[in-house]
C-alpha cells in the first residue's frame, strides 16, 4: 500500500537511527582516533597477555555453553515428559527469574552459597577434606553462567519441544513408543533444529559477560576481554591497550553474531513462558524417578543462589542500610537514571517500529530499502557492540576534553537505553503491526495522521505494550554494571555500583542487603512487564 | 442532498505489485451504482484502491469529475470507502468512530454531534452512540461504517464486499439501506461483490474484471441474458 511519502513516522525512525548511530559511531571514532594517535601503542598491546585473555574469554564461554545447554536438554525433556509434575508451572516461572536478576545480584547469591564463608563452605570443606577456598576464577564464572543460562536454555528447548504437533504424540503413544524411541524419533529432531540457535545465544551471552567475570573471576588468570578493557581504563590508564582489547572483542562478537545469523538464532532471546501441556505420555516408574531427580537437581542449582540471596539479605541490617545516606542517594540515582533510560529506550523502539511499518507499507512489492532493513533487523545488531565497548570508546574520546566521570549520567542513560531497545522493539512491534494492519487504510482515508493518530488511534492500543517495554528496559538499566563501572565515581553512584564497592571493601552484609533490594526491584519490574505483556496478547 | 455526483475515470492506468500487473481503462457513470464482479485475485479490490488512493498507478491518470486525483492522498479525495472488515477502531465507541468522519482530530462541535446522531438514526442505530464495536453484531458494525459515510458526505462511495460476511437476510437489509442512501444522496457507487443477486438488485451498471483488466462493461440487465459476455456467463456458471 503506498500511503504517503512524507509520513512523520519515517522521520521519527530516521531520528532514532541517527541517535543510535551517533552513540555507537562516537565510540568507534574515539577508538579510531586513539589508535591513530598512538598506533605503536595499540599494536604493542597485541601481546601474549592479550591473546591469553582472548583465549580464556572463548574457553570460559565454550565451557559455560556446554555446561548450560547439555544438561538443559535433559531438564527440558524431563519437564516435557511430565506435564503434571507437581509445581511444574512454578518451576518454569522460577526458571525465568535469572533472566530478570542483575548479574551482580546473582554473583553475590552464588558467593554466599559457595564462597569461602558461604553456607556450603563447611560441608564442602568436610567433603574435600581441607579448607574450602571458595569459588573464584573459572569455577565461579562457570557456576554463575550456568545459573543464568541453564534455565534460559531449558525454557527455549522446552518451547522447541512444544512446537511438536500433538498428533505426533498421540501417534507415538498409539504405536507404544517408549522413552528412548520417542526421544529419538520425536524429541531429538525438534531439539536438534533449535539447538544451534540456543547454544549460539548462550555462547554470545557468555562471551560478553562482564559483571560475573568482574566479581567472580580472579586475577589475570581468569579475566575476559571486557573486564580487561575496564581494568585498562580504570586502573592502568592505558587507552592503547583498551583500544586493542576492544577491537578484539568487537571482532569476536561480530564473528559469533554472523555465525548466529547463519544458524537463524534470535539474538534477543525469548521470555515466553511455555505452559501448554500434553497428556499422551505414560512414563514408566524408572523414567519417572530419573526425571524427577533431574528436575530436583536443576531446581536446587537454580533456586539455591536465589534462596541464599534472600536469606543473607535478610540477615543484613536492612533497617540501618535503608537509613544510610549513600544508599538512599544511590537508590534515587538508580531510579532516576533507569527511568530516563527506559523512556529513551521505549521512544527509540516505538520510532523504529513505526518507521519500519510505514516503510513496509509504502513499498509496492520488490526489495526492502536499506533504511527499512535498518529499522527492521538492523536494530538488533546493537547487541553486537557490548556496553563496555561503547563506554570505552567514549571514555577515550572525551577523556582529554572533559572530566570523564561527569559524563556518567549521560552515558548510563543512553547506552542502557540503546541496549534495552531491541527488547523493547520485541514488546511493541507485534501490537503495533497488528493495529496498523487494521487501521492503516482507515487512517489514510479519514486523514488521521501525526499527533492525532498517535493520540486517538495508536496510544490506546499501544499503552500496554509500551508499559511492558518500559518496565523491562527499566529493569535492565537498573541492574546494569557495565557502563557505570567505567564512569561511576563517588559523585555518581548507582545501586549496582555501590554494591560492587561494598563487596570490594568486604562489607559483605551490606552487599547482601543491597543485593536483596536490587534483586526484588528488578524482579518486580520484570513481573510487571510480563503481566502487562500477557494481558495485551489476550 | 449536498453531494454532487461525479464520474470516476481510470485513464489507461497501469499498476504493478510484486509480479502481478493490472491495466484499467474504464469510466463509471456519475450518480449511478456500478457493480464490479470477477474471480478472486482478478484485481477488483486493486481497482477500488486505485480510486481511493491507497495505491498509486505507475502510469495513467485517475479522474474524479474533471479533477485529476492520480497522486492525491486518500484523505483529500472526494471518496469514502467501506471495507469488508476493520471499518471501525475497536477501542473507540460508535459516536467517535462516526465522528472521525467529520474531524480527524475528533473535535466535534454540537452541530457535528447532532449530525452523527442523525446519521446513526438513519442507519437504524439510534441511541447506540456509546457502544463499543465489540458490543455490536457484524451487520451493525457495517451500519456504523455507513453512518460515517453519511457524515463525511463525499460524492463517491466505494464498497469492497462490505456485506460478504453477513447472512442472507442481513445482507438483504444492508442492500436496501445502501439503495435508499443512494436514492437520497445520489452518490457514484462502485460496489465490489461476489453475489450476482447483489448486482441485479442494486446496480444499474456492471463492470466485469478478469486477469487484471476490465473484460466487459455494460448494463447489468444485459449481463444476465444469454447475450451477455461469454467470460461473465462462464464465471457465473462456474461460481454457482
Amino acid at each position: 500500500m503506498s500511503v504517503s511519502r512524507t509520513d512523520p513516522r519515517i522521520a521519527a525512525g530516521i531520528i532514532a537511527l541517527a541517535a543510535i548511530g551517533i552513540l555507537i559511531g562516537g565510540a568507534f571514532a574515539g577508538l579510531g582516533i586513539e589508535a591513530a594517535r598512538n598506533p605503536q601503542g595499540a599494536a604493542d598491546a597485541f601481546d601474549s597477555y592479550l591473546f591469553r585473555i582472548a583465549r580464556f574469554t572463548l574457553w570460559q564461554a565454550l565451557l559455560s555453553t556446554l555446561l548450560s545447554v547439555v544438561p538443559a536438554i535433559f531438564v527440558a525433556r524431563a519437564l516435557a515428559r511430565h506435564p503434571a509434575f507437581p509445581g511444574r508451572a512454578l518451576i518454569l516461572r522460577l526458571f525465568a527469574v535469572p533472566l530478570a536478576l542483575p548479574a551482580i545480584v546473582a554473583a553475590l547469591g552464588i558467593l554466599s552459597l559457595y564462597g569461602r564463608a558461604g553456607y556450603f563452605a563447611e560441608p564442602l570443606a568436610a567433603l574435600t577434606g581441607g579448607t574450602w577456598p571458595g569459588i573464584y576464577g573459572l569455577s565461579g564464572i562457570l557456576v554463575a553462567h550456568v545459573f543464568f543460562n541453564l534455565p534460559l536454555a531449558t525454557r527455549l528447548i522446552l518451547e522447541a519441544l512444544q512446537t511438536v504437533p500433538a498428533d505426533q504424540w498421540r501417534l507415538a503413544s498409539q504405536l507404544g513408543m517408549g522413552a528412548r524411541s520417542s526421544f529419538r524419533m520425536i524429541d531429538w529432531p525438534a531439539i536438534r533444529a533449535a539447538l544451534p540457535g540456543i547454544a549460539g545465544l548462550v555462547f554470545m551471552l557468555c562471551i560478553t559477560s562482564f559483571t560475573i567475570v568482574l566479581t567472580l573471576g580472579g586475577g589475570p588468570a581468569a579475566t575476559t576481554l571486557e573486564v580487561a578493557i575496564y581494568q585498562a581504563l580504570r586502573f592502568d590508564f592505558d587507552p592503547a591497550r583498551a583500544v586493542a582489547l576492544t577491537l578484539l572483542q568487537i571482532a569476536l562478537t561480530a564473528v559469533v553474531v554472523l555465525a548466529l545469523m547463519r544458524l537463524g538464532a534470535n539474538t534477543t532471546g525469548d521470555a515466553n513462558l511455555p505452559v501448554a501441556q500434553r497428556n499422551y505420555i505414560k512414563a514408566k516408574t524408572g523414567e519417572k524417578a530419573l526425571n524427577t531427580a533431574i528436575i530436583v537437581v536443576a531446581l536446587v542449582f537454580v533456586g539455591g543462589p536465589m534462596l541464599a540471596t534472600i536469606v543473607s539479605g535478610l540477615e543484613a541490617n536492612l533497617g540501618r542500610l535503608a537509613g544510610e545516606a549513600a544508599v538512599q542517594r544511590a537508590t534515587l540515582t538508580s531510579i532516576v537514571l533507569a527511568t530516563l533510560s527506559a523512556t529513551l529506550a521505549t521512544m527509540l523502539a516505538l520510532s523504529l517500529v513505526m518507521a519500519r511499518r510505514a516503510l513496509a507499507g509504502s513499498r509496492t512489492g520488490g526489495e526492502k530499502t536499506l533504511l527499512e532493513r535498518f529499522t527492521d533487523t538492523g536494530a538488533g545488531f546493537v547487541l553486537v557492540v557490548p556496553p563496555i565497548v561503547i563506554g570505552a570508546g567514549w571514555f577515550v574520546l572525551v577523556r582529554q576534553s572533559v572530566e570523564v566521570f561527569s559524563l556518567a549520567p549521560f552515558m548510563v542513560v543512553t547506552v542502557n537505553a540503546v541496549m534495552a531497545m531491541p527488547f523493547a522493539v520485541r514488546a511493541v512491534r507485534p501490537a503495533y503491526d497488528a493495529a496498523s494492519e487494521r487501521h492503516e487504510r482507515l487512517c489514510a482515508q479519514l486523514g488521521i495522521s501525526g499527533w492525532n493518530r498517535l493520540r486517538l488511534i495508536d496510544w490506546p492500543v499501544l499503552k500496554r505494550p509500551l508499559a511492558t517495554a518500559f518496565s523491562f528496559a527499566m529493569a535492565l538499566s537498573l541492574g546494569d554494571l557495565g557502563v557505570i563501572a567505567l564512569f561511576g565515581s563517588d559523585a555518581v553512584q548507582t545501586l549496582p555500583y555501590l554494591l560492587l564497592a561494598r563487596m570490594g571493601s568486604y562489607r559483605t552484609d551490606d552487599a547482601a542487603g543491597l543485593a536483596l533490594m536490587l534483586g526484588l526491584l528488578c524482579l518486580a519490574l520484570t513481573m510487571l512487564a510480563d503481566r502487562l505483556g500477557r494481558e495485551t496478547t489476550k | 442532498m449536498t453531494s454532487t455526483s461525479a464520474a470516476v475515470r481510470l485513464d489507461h492506468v497501469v499498476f504493478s505489485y510484486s509480479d502481478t500487473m493490472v491495466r484499467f481503462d474504464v469510466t463509471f457513470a456519475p450518480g449511478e451504482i456500478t457493480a464490479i464482479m470477477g474471480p478472486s485475485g482478478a484485481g477488483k479490490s486493486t481497482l477500488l484502491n486505485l480510486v481511493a488512493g491507497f495505491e498509486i498507478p505507475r502510469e495513467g491518470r485517475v479522474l474524479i469529475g474533471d479533477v485529476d486525483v492520480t497522486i492525491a492522498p486518500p484523505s483529500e479525495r472526494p471518496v469514502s470507502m467501506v471495507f469488508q472488515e476493520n471499518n471501525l477502531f475497536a477501542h473507540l465507541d460508535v459516536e467517535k468512530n462516526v465522528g472521525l468522519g467529520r474531524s480527524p482530530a475528533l473535535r466535534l462541535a454540537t452541530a457535528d454531534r447532532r449530525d452523527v446522531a442523525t446519521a446513526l438514526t438513519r442507519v437504524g442505530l439510534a441511541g447506540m452512540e456509546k457502544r463499543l464495536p465489540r458490543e455490536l453484531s457484524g451487520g451493525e458494525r457495517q451500519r456504523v461504517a455507513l453512518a460515517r459515510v453519511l457524515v463525511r458526505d463525499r460524492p463517491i462511495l466505494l464498497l469492497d464486499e462490505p456485506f460478504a460476511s453477513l447472512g442472507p437476510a442481513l445482507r438483504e437489509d444492508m442492500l436496501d439501506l445502501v439503495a435508499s442512501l443512494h436514492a437520497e444522496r445520489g452518490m457514484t457507487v462502485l460496489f465490489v461483490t461476489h453475489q450476482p443477486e447483489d448486482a441485479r438488485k442494486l446496480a444499474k451498471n456492471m463492470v466485469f474484471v478478469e486477469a487484471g483488466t476490465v473484460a466487459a462493461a455494460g448494463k447489468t440487465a444485459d449481463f444476465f441474458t444469454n447475450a451477455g459476455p461469454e467470460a461473465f456467463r462462464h464465471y457465473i456458471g462456474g461460481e454457482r
Side-chain angles (χ1 to χ4, degrees):
Chain A
M1 218 186 317
S2 47
V3 172
S4 167
R5 266 131 284 254
T6 53
D7 200 315
R9 293 178 293 171
I10 296 173
I14 292 173
I15 292 172
L17 280 174
I20 297 168
I22 289 172
L23 186 70
I24 295 176
F28 281 118
L31 296 170
I33 291 169
E34 180 59 35
R37 186 162 49 203
N38 186 3
Q40 197 50 45
D44 287 348
F46 281 95
D47 54 11
S48 63
Y49 174 65
L50 185 131
F51 286 110
R52 204 166 67 234
I53 296 173
R55 205 162 50 232
F56 181 79
T57 306
L58 286 170
W59 176 236
Q60 62 82 21
L62 187 69
L63 283 180
S64 302
T65 307
L66 279 177
L67 291 174
S68 302
V69 175
V70 175
I73 296 175
F74 293 97
V75 181
R77 150 103 173 160
L79 285 166
R81 294 282 285 178
H82 300 279
F85 194 84
R88 185 179 184 272
L90 204 66
I91 294 171
L92 287 174
R93 219 169 271 253
L94 194 75
F95 274 19
V97 171
L99 265 186
L101 277 188
I104 192 161
V105 173
L108 215 63
I110 285 164
L111 277 181
S112 60
L113 209 54
Y114 309 104
R116 196 176 348 174
Y119 297 114
F120 283 176
E122 261 177 57
L124 281 168
L127 209 66
T128 50
T131 51
W132 174 246
I135 49 158
Y136 271 106
L138 182 60
S139 58
I141 296 172
L142 291 183
V143 167
H145 281 169
V146 175
F147 167 77
F148 274 109
N149 295 310
L150 171 81
L152 173 68
T154 301
R155 284 158 51 93
L156 292 175
I157 294 172
L158 196 56
E159 219 165 79
L161 283 173
Q162 273 157 356
T163 60
V164 175
D167 286 346
Q168 286 200 14
W169 288 105
R170 291 199 192 103
L171 202 59
S173 68
Q174 195 171 57
L175 297 172
M177 282 189 195
R180 202 177 297 255
S181 52
S182 72
F183 180 78
R184 200 158 50 87
M185 308 296 290
I186 300 173
D187 288 331
W188 179 242
I191 295 174
R192 199 183 47 201
L195 211 51
I198 296 170
L201 174 66
V202 172
F203 190 77
M204 177 77 187
L205 290 173
C206 293
I207 220 172
T208 55
S209 146
F210 171 75
T211 307
I212 293 296
V213 182
L214 181 69
T215 48
L216 293 175
T223 294
T224 56
L225 287 170
E226 294 219 354
V227 174
I229 295 170
Y230 159 76
Q231 282 162 344
L233 287 178
R234 278 294 286 230
F235 298 111
D236 309 336
F237 297 107
D238 187 352
R241 173 168 289 279
V243 168
L245 289 162
T246 308
L247 291 178
L248 205 55
Q249 171 76 30
I250 292 170
L252 219 60
T253 40
V255 169
V256 174
V257 166
L258 281 178
L260 267 179
M261 274 171 41
R262 301 280 308 250
L263 299 169
N266 196 331
T267 41
T268 47
D270 207 311
N272 281 332
L273 197 69
V275 283
Q277 306 201 340
R278 52 189 196 209
N279 302 306
Y280 310 105
I281 307 154
K282 288 278 172 288
K284 296 209 182 82
T285 327
E287 196 206 342
K288 209 182 265 180
L290 182 66
N291 285 339
T292 305
I294 290 173
I295 294 172
V296 169
V297 169
L299 194 59
V300 169
F301 184 80
V302 175
M306 295 185 207
L307 200 63
T309 306
I310 297 172
V311 173
S312 63
L314 290 176
E315 278 172 4
N317 193 340
L318 286 173
R320 178 185 58 76
L321 213 49
E324 224 180 282
V327 173
Q328 289 173 352
R329 221 178 38 237
T331 309
L332 188 66
T333 307
S334 268
I335 287 175
V336 170
L337 293 185
T339 305
L340 291 174
S341 179
T343 308
L344 186 59
T346 313
M347 280 165 57
L348 286 175
L350 182 62
S351 305
L352 290 177
V353 165
M354 292 196 308
R356 189 195 80 95
R357 181 73 194 171
L359 286 166
S362 63
R363 171 165 54 93
T364 38
E367 288 282 294
K368 290 179 183 175
T369 60
L370 193 63
L371 184 60
E372 188 182 343
R373 273 175 214 278
F374 266 126
T375 57
D376 190 353
T377 46
F381 283 120
V382 297
L383 294 179
V384 180
V385 193
I388 285 286
V389 168
I390 302 182
W394 280 91
F395 193 102
V396 294
L397 180 70
V398 301
R399 83 197 139 91
Q400 280 166 343
S401 39
V402 289
E403 170 58 46
V404 167
F405 302 116
S406 68
L407 277 186
F410 176 77
M411 290 310 295
V412 169
V413 168
T414 51
V415 175
N416 284 332
V418 168
M419 291 300 137
M421 178 271 296
F423 300 93
V425 165
R426 269 177 82 99
V428 176
R429 190 194 278 175
Y432 186 80
D433 284 0
S436 164
E437 186 69 38
R438 277 180 276 126
H439 298 158
E440 207 62 55
R441 289 200 294 180
L442 210 49
C443 286
Q445 167 127 107
L446 299 173
I448 308 170
S449 63
W451 172 241
N452 281 332
R453 171 156 180 178
L454 205 59
R455 179 174 61 99
L456 294 172
I457 310 304
D458 291 336
W459 172 247
V461 183
L462 289 179
K463 54 188 178 197
R464 266 174 186 284
L466 284 175
T468 301
F470 182 88
S471 28
F472 196 67
M474 190 165 167
L476 275 182
S477 172
L478 212 51
D480 178 70
L481 184 68
V483 185
I484 193 68
L486 272 182
F487 289 91
S489 61
D490 286 345
V492 183
Q493 295 194 328
T494 62
L495 272 179
Y497 189 84
L498 187 67
L499 184 42
L500 184 70
R502 295 284 156 101
M503 272 174 89
S505 51
Y506 299 101
R507 292 168 71 178
T508 322
D509 263 13
D510 286 6
L514 289 172
L516 182 64
M517 284 159 53
L518 185 60
L520 287 179
L521 205 54
C522 288
L523 199 59
L525 280 169
T526 315
M527 276 165 61
L528 182 70
D530 194 44
R531 166 153 307 176
L532 289 168
R534 239 174 309 159
E535 278 171 21
T536 318
T537 48
K538 236 179 245 171
Chain B
M1 296 300 262
T2 49
S3 50
T4 46
S5 54
V8 173
R9 178 149 177 241
L10 300 183
D11 178 19
H12 294 94
V13 163
V14 178
F15 172 78
S16 59
Y17 185 89
S18 335
D19 50 355
T20 56
M21 180 175 318
V22 297
R23 295 163 182 281
F24 294 120
D25 189 34
V26 61
T27 303
F28 297 91
E32 293 182 358
I33 301 182
T34 304
I36 301 171
M37 294 192 70
S40 300
K44 306 186 295 291
S45 292
T46 306
L47 197 159
L48 289 200
N49 285 338
L50 284 162
V51 176
F54 298 129
E55 310 285 15
I56 306 292
R58 213 177 66 192
E59 290 168 33
R61 297 184 305 159
V62 179
L63 297 155
I64 294 177
D66 297 325
V67 185
D68 185 339
V69 295
T70 311
I71 56 162
S75 58
E76 282 164 32
R77 300 184 182 209
V79 169
S80 285
M81 184 157 170
V82 179
F83 313 109
Q84 187 171 344
E85 50 194 9
N86 293 325
N87 284 295
L88 306 183
F89 296 108
H91 61 279
L92 297 178
D93 65 25
V94 165
E95 183 182 38
K96 292 197 171 97
N97 264 294
V98 176
L100 279 172
R102 183 59 55 89
S103 157
L106 211 47
R107 271 187 273 280
L108 300 175
T110 321
D112 295 326
R113 278 175 205 286
R114 208 171 46 232
D115 288 352
V116 169
T118 311
L120 283 173
T121 308
R122 181 66 190 83
V123 299
L125 295 179
M128 297 216 189
E129 279 85 350
K130 295 299 164 206
R131 298 269 188 100
L132 284 172
R134 64 165 176 272
E135 297 165 329
L136 302 176
S137 71
E140 284 169 337
R141 272 180 236 154
Q142 299 303 64
R143 283 173 190 268
V144 177
L146 286 174
R148 187 166 59 214
V149 168
L150 290 177
V151 167
R152 292 191 87 209
D153 197 21
R154 308 268 164 129
I156 314 292
L157 174 59
L158 309 177
L159 302 171
D160 192 2
E161 298 191 59
F163 314 132
S165 53
L166 305 181
L170 216 46
R171 209 174 75 228
E172 195 84 352
D173 290 348
M174 297 302 285
L175 290 175
D176 288 340
L177 179 58
V178 170
S180 74
L181 296 181
H182 176 252
E184 246 175 67
R185 303 273 172 115
M187 59 282 226
T188 309
V189 181
L190 277 59
F191 181 28
V192 169
T193 178
H194 270 294
Q195 307 291 338
E197 60 268 36
D198 288 7
R200 279 173 118 154
K201 187 178 161 83
L202 206 60
K204 191 169 162 194
N205 312 303
M206 169 87 92
V207 162
F208 181 64
V209 176
E210 196 174 37
T213 192
V214 174
K219 296 280 169 234
T220 307
D222 298 340
F223 269 70
F224 287 97
T225 63
N226 286 335
E230 196 187 326
F232 179 73
R233 276 186 289 133
H234 193 215
Y235 166 71
I236 295 287
E239 287 265 315
R240 316 239 71 211

